[in-house]
Amino acid sequence: PYELTFLVDEYLRNAGVRDNARVILTAPVDWTMPPNTKPVILEAFKEQDIEFMPNKALEKVENNKLFFKDGSDPLECTTLWSIWPIRAPDFVQEAGLDINAKGTVNVENKV
């Protein structure tokens, strides 16, 4: 999702319309990547005027509005890109591997 957000920002800048757009990335969790990446990416978002809204689990989209499970005010949108949840595929989850709460395979101490 972070990469897509930067690509959208770049596309809008190259088209000369970035000043007419509000770019927002919402995520259902606080952070999905290694912790040391967070300050770097958040600083880049700030420099590019990209808004980041963590812990915003999407409940539904209706009439160009995003509704979140936390009951916060709906967010209006004209264009929406969505990334499917990042998780291990079903066949991996069904293989009996150690799957964490995020739905990914635990790999710590596997050497």
Side-chain angles (χ1 to χ4, degrees):
Y2 308 99
E3 298 90 339
L4 176 63
T5 304
F6 285 118
L7 288 171
V8 167
D9 176 76
E10 181 180 23
Y11 176 82
L12 294 172
R13 287 179 193 283
N14 290 340
V17 296
R18 177 61 175 90
D19 290 341
N20 300 327
R22 183 178 177 196
V23 177
I24 304 169
L25 172 62
T26 65
V29 296
D30 180 58
W31 197 252
T32 59
M33 298 192 347
N36 63 330
T37 64
K38 189 174 184 178
V40 175
I41 292 175
L42 290 181
E43 181 61 28
F45 278 173
K46 184 177 177 182
E47 290 172 4
Q48 301 297 87
D49 195 27
I50 296 170
E51 298 175 56
F52 178 59
M53 297 180 174
N55 300 307
K56 300 296 272 184
L58 188 61
E59 183 174 21
K60 67 179 178 176
V61 179
E62 188 174 271
N63 298 324
N64 291 347
K65 291 184 182 178
L66 308 178
F67 292 85
F68 299 98
K69 291 182 180 180
D70 66 4
S72 59
D73 290 338
L75 184 63
E76 291 190 34
C77 68
T78 54
T79 303
L80 170 67
W81 284 290
S82 180
I83 306 291
W84 289 103
I86 299 169
R87 66 173 184 82
D90 291 342
F91 75 91
V92 172
Q93 293 190 27
E94 294 165 2
L97 298 172
D98 185 19
I99 305 291
N100 60 36
K102 291 182 181 178
T104 59
V105 177
N106 289 318
V107 295
E108 296 87 18
N109 303 318
K110 301 293 183 195
V111 178

